[in-house]
């Protein structure tokens, strides 16, 4: 099999990992990396034994396919230059800043009959893949995705930065149109929103509650899916899936806690997990998701197969993110039409929540 000539555009935090993995794959020739940050691009090129470019135009005639991992606000313009040449692309998430840009990217890919895959990497998380192998009908989903402040992706807020991972996963699970969206958010550090909370209701009755923060003391990336079959908990960081289902006698509704005496209630409490609610813990450590995502991209480039996260999936996640942003920007903190609204205009504080130790008490 001939080696595919691939390049990476934008080799910061994530792009350098794409370059590292591609450089090590036997059926790929990493022909170059691009970044206007010269020390960074030279360092990555040296590590990956490839050429460094400051401008993506130099890469265009050299590659069979490319990965775009530049800041989100650059995705649409960079992608257009590759797609217009019919070059297959893996574009990092979110695929663009606006749905209109996303539509234009999809149209260009279709017009030039080429592949457009979006980097919604959690679809390749082995714990999420394992979840999809079980017959759970999602009726209520909760998602929490928290990180500390990274100093990156300040061109977008937490909805497009972090929550969009879960929006894509929820859309993939629910497979129904969105009926309503309610959201609120706060710009803690100024600029775009850093905290957000959303409730999305689907036309098939499923409800998803999503929370995201990029100013959180501890990292969390988890999802719970509730359905008539039971509950699944996905810990994306640990690549761990917990499945819980009611035992047969609970499914048959043979217990009614209102009719149990004290000893029976005590025994139910002691034996809840195991006897009454069956639990399965699954460690899903079959490879890292970035390598799996890149391998699927390369496979689709070679075979013409449709990727699991195509441009339409990227656009749908972006469109839902847009509805969440519209809702959180108009959230009325005091319920009044002329009162404070949105992530920047909170009600005036009543005072300090507590006196910090370094600050002297007022006389
Ligand atoms: N899939 C994921 O889990 C995940 C995780 C992190 C970031 N991302 C996405 O990846 C993208 C990059 O994020 P990051 O955290 O690596 O950011 P980053 O700031 O660390 O890196 C971006 C790099 O792109 C370079 N760049 C800027 N303009 C460029 C241009 N015109 N051409 C080429 N390079 C250019 C910058 O110099 C920088 O080195 C963003 O879209 C982000 O949302 C995805």
């Amino acid at each position: 099999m001939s080696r595919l000539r691939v390049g990476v555009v934008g080799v910061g935090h994530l792009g350098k990992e794409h370059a590292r993995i591609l450089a090590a794959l036997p059926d790929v020739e990493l022909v170059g990396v691009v970044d206007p940050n010269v020390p960074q691009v030279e360092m990555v090129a040296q590590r990956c034994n490839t050429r460094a470019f400051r401008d993506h135009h130099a890469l265009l005639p050299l590659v069979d396919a490319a990965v775009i991992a530049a800041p989100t606000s650059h995705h649409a313009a960079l992608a257009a230059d590759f797609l217009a040449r019919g070059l297959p692309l893996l574009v990092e998430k979110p695929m663009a800043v606006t749905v209109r840009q996303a539509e234009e990217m999809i149209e260009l890919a279709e017009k030039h009959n080429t592949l457009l895959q979006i980097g919604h990497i959690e679809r390749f998380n082995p714990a999420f893949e394992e979840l999809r192998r079980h017959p759970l009908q999602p009726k209520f989903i909760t998602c929490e995705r928290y990180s500390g402040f990274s100093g990156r992706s300040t061109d977008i807020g937490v909805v497009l930065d972090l929550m969009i991972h879960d929006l894509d996963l929820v859309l993939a699970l629910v497979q129904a149109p969105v009926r309503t969206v309610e959201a609120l958010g706060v710009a803690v550090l100024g600029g775009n929103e850093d905290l957000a909370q959303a409730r999305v209701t689907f036309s098939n009755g499923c409800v998803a509650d999503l929370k995201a923060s990029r100013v959180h003391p501890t990292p969390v990336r988890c999802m719970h899916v509730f359905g008539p079959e039971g509950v699944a908990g996905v810990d994306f960081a640990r690549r761990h899936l917990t499945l819980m289902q009611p035992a047969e006698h609970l499914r048959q509704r043979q217990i009614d806690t209102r009719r149990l005496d004290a000893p029976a209630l005590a025994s139910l409490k002691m034996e809840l997990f195991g006897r009454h609610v069956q639990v399965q813990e699954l460690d899903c450590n079959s490879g890292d998701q970035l390598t799996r995502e890149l391998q699927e991209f390369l496979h689709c480039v070679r075979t013409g197969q449709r990727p699991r996260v195509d441009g339409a999936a990227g656009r749908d996640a972006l469109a839902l993110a847009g509805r969440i942003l519209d809702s959180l920007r108009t959230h009325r903190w005091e319920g009044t039409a002329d009162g404070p609204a949105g992530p920047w205009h909170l009600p005036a504080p009543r005072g300090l929540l507590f006196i910090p130790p370094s600050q002297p008490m007022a006389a």
Side-chain angles (χ1 to χ4, degrees):
M1 196 193 305
S2 64
R3 293 168 85 201
L4 268 183
R5 298 170 305 155
V6 183
V8 179
V9 182
V11 283
H13 172 74
L14 191 61
K16 71 178 186 328
E17 303 303 325
H18 280 288
R20 175 183 59 78
I21 293 166
L22 288 167
L25 292 177
D27 51 352
V28 168
E29 182 188 353
L30 180 66
V31 291
V33 289
V34 182
D35 202 300
N37 179 336
V38 174
Q40 175 73 7
V41 75
E42 284 178 350
M43 185 267 287
V44 175
Q46 195 185 12
R47 266 196 208 162
C48 298
N49 196 20
T50 188
R51 294 169 70 187
F53 300 99
R54 290 163 73 165
D55 189 302
H56 70 283
H57 289 98
L59 200 65
L60 291 169
L62 305 179
V63 292
D64 301 314
V67 174
I68 294 187
T72 304
S73 47
H74 294 259
H75 287 181
L78 290 167
D81 287 340
F82 286 87
L83 296 173
R85 284 182 164 241
L87 291 169
L89 274 188
L90 169 58
V91 179
E92 261 310 329
K93 57 49 62 184
M95 69 185 287
V97 178
T98 66
V99 174
R100 189 175 175 164
Q101 289 173 337
E103 295 282 9
E104 284 167 5
M105 289 161 74
I106 294 167
E107 275 166 31
L108 257 184
E110 278 168 3
K111 182 172 166 197
H112 295 279
N113 195 22
T114 194
L115 170 77
L116 177 59
Q117 181 175 331
I118 312 303
H120 284 289
I121 190 171
E122 296 285 38
R123 290 264 210 122
F124 297 84
N125 190 305
F128 186 75
E129 288 184 330
E130 181 61 33
L131 165 67
R132 301 212 68 182
R133 288 192 268 274
H134 296 266
L136 182 59
Q137 302 170 67
K139 286 293 150 206
F140 178 52
I141 305 175
T142 61
C143 304
E144 290 170 282
R145 194 167 288 263
Y146 307 140
S147 75
F149 179 60
S150 71
R152 302 185 312 271
S153 294
T154 50
D155 57 335
I156 52 178
V158 74
V159 172
L160 289 178
D161 185 9
L162 298 186
M163 192 185 278
I164 195 143
H165 283 291
D166 296 313
L167 297 176
D168 170 65
L169 298 175
V170 165
L171 288 170
L173 286 173
V174 179
Q175 297 285 329
V178 172
R179 184 174 286 158
T180 58
V181 171
E182 274 182 277
L184 54 87
V186 179
V188 179
L189 305 176
N192 295 306
E193 80 289 343
D194 301 302
L195 299 174
Q197 168 134 12
R199 168 162 281 204
V200 179
T201 303
F202 291 87
S203 64
N204 67 358
C206 183
V207 173
D209 279 346
L210 304 108
K211 295 182 198 166
S213 168
R214 56 183 185 180
V215 285
H216 202 266
T218 46
V220 175
R221 287 153 59 198
C222 64
M223 167 184 274
H224 286 89
V225 184
F226 301 79
E229 301 81 4
V231 184
V234 184
D235 183 331
F236 292 95
R238 287 172 55 223
R239 296 180 191 139
H240 187 89
L241 178 66
T242 303
L243 298 171
M244 289 192 269
Q245 63 184 5
E248 184 60 25
H249 58 277
L250 284 189
R251 284 198 289 273
Q252 301 287 332
R253 305 226 177 260
Q254 289 170 4
I255 292 186
D256 180 342
T257 50
R258 293 168 300 184
R259 296 196 170 82
L260 296 183
D261 59 14
L265 281 170
S267 125
L268 182 61
K269 184 176 162 188
M270 294 297 292
E271 298 176 324
L272 181 62
F273 294 106
R275 177 156 178 223
H276 303 288
V277 176
Q278 300 161 340
V279 182
Q280 191 173 41
E281 301 284 357
L282 297 164
D283 277 319
C284 313
N285 283 317
S286 50
D288 79 280
Q289 46 269 35
L290 191 57
T291 304
R292 294 156 72 100
E293 178 186 70
L294 282 164
Q295 278 168 336
E296 179 164 303
F297 174 61
L298 299 167
H299 176 74
C300 292
V301 173
R302 287 187 188 283
T303 61
Q305 195 178 303
R306 209 170 176 81
R308 80 182 78 170
V309 194
D310 59 8
R315 179 217 38 221
D316 292 349
L318 196 59
L320 181 51
R323 287 178 70 173
I324 288 170
L325 287 170
D326 287 345
S327 175
L328 71 79
R329 282 177 189 140
T330 53
H331 175 72
R332 301 265 163 207
W333 294 103
E334 290 173 338
T336 54
D338 56 352
W344 302 283
H345 302 113
L346 302 184
R350 287 185 186 157
L352 289 177
L353 201 54
F354 61 94
I355 307 295
S358 57
Q359 198 159 320
M361 295 272 277

